[in-house]
Amino acid sequence: MKTIKIALDGPSGSGKSTIAKILSAKLDILYLDTGAMYRATALKALKLGVDTFDEKGVLGFINDLKLEIKYENGKQQTYLDGENVSDKIREPQVSMAASNISSLKCVRLKMVEMQRKISETTSCVLDGRDIGSYVLPNADYKFYITAGVNVRAERRFKELTEKGYNVDFDSLKKEIEERDYNDSHREFSPLVKAKDAIEIDTSNMTVEQVISTIMSHIKE
Ligand code: DC
């Protein structure tokens, strides 16, 4: 049976995961949040006290990393060393560590291998930074979801404060800008808009408008 692969790439806070969740439910296909995998790897480094830029240190654990992606009640759950870390990996200090560790080639190769394997036999929506440009260059549909930095910082601020985190807007915005820079300037498989991706700037769009724009392309 033919499977369908949809790549949603874009910078932090552009709304990819919200869109990917709704889209995958609408199409009744899997949603793979690839950022969760980088976050779990960063969490492992933090637990071990390994510097997230230290390739040698990371090489010491990456090949034996016990990272599992499971689907429970249709929701992705991320397990690290047998522990469900789906909430822990969302903590603000993990975000920057994930961005840092994702610049290491050994990490990316390992994650990409897992992502290709998971998506090999299943229809899915994958959200990330390099899905359309590197992980699945033959994806059926590629979208590049973006938004202005202020809008993205506001969205992240709202999300974190609703979860009870005490965050400062200016530092959050600064962190997003730093992650943008990191993610788009790393040497190996950086954040880029794939040549054949459709760009959607969500700054002034509602979630429903974004979904219907994407669906209109998919129906074509
Ligand atoms: O999407 P996110 O914020 O959960 O991702 C966390 C970090 O992981 C992000 O700053 C960059 C990295 N990442 C990546 O390099 N490639 C991906 N496909 C997904 C995430």
Side-chain angles (χ1 to χ4, degrees):
M1 209 177 82
K2 163 113 178 65
T3 57
I4 175 176
K5 314 261 187 275
I6 303 173
L8 291 189
D9 290 301
S12 306
S14 57
K16 297 181 305 284
S17 65
T18 307
I19 304 298
K21 271 181 213 152
I22 299 174
L23 193 62
S24 59
K26 228 177 161 72
L27 299 170
D28 195 19
I29 62 177
L30 207 74
Y31 162 43
L32 179 60
D33 166 8
T34 65
M37 299 166 73
Y38 291 94
R39 287 173 177 270
T41 309
L43 183 63
K44 178 75 184 182
L46 293 175
K47 280 187 170 169
L48 291 173
V50 170
D51 185 319
T52 45
F53 283 122
D54 173 13
E55 184 135 37
K56 255 204 185 130
V58 174
L59 267 170
F61 72 79
I62 193 74
N63 290 316
D64 300 316
L65 188 70
K66 248 189 108 227
L67 169 62
E68 294 164 285
I69 299 297
K70 297 185 187 177
Y71 289 86
E72 293 167 9
N73 300 320
K75 252 181 101 183
Q76 176 173 325
Q77 301 293 332
T78 308
Y79 283 80
L80 180 67
D81 297 323
E83 181 197 349
N84 188 335
V85 293
S86 307
D87 289 332
K88 225 177 250 177
I89 57 172
R90 300 289 148 203
E91 288 178 9
Q93 77 270 21
V94 181
S95 302
M96 204 61 212
S99 178
N100 294 342
I101 211 162
S102 74
S103 67
L104 301 180
K105 190 171 177 180
C106 65
V107 171
R108 303 207 69 80
L109 290 177
K110 174 87 179 171
M111 299 299 117
V112 170
E113 183 191 322
M114 284 183 72
Q115 290 156 18
R116 288 185 178 149
K117 208 165 179 182
I118 295 170
S119 61
E120 202 168 69
T121 51
T122 339
S123 290
C124 47
V125 177
L126 295 94
D127 87 15
R129 304 290 188 287
D130 59 340
I131 308 300
S133 59
Y134 185 76
V135 182
L136 300 175
N138 296 321
D140 301 275
Y141 298 98
K142 299 180 185 178
F143 298 94
Y144 190 79
I145 313 291
T146 183
V149 68
N150 268 321
V151 174
R152 290 188 284 127
E154 275 160 20
R155 286 178 187 162
R156 201 34 69 84
F157 182 78
K158 189 165 173 270
E159 185 190 322
L160 289 171
T161 42
E162 275 172 7
K163 279 188 185 160
Y165 289 110
N166 187 9
V167 281
D168 169 62
F169 180 81
D170 291 333
S171 356
L172 195 63
K173 185 177 160 194
K174 196 165 158 263
E175 186 214 286
I176 288 183
E177 285 169 332
E178 258 178 67
R179 283 217 281 152
D180 282 357
Y181 186 86
N182 267 355
D183 296 349
S184 52
H185 285 81
R186 64 174 174 244
E187 219 168 289
F188 186 65
S189 139
L191 163 69
V192 280
K193 175 182 166 300
K195 280 191 205 83
D196 49 350
I198 297 163
E199 181 164 345
I200 305 176
D201 184 334
T202 68
S203 302
N204 297 306
M205 289 172 88
T206 63
V207 172
E208 291 72 25
Q209 285 170 329
V210 180
I211 295 287
S212 74
T213 306
I214 292 180
M215 287 302 286
S216 68
H217 288 287
I218 292 176
K219 279 185 188 140
E220 272 172 21

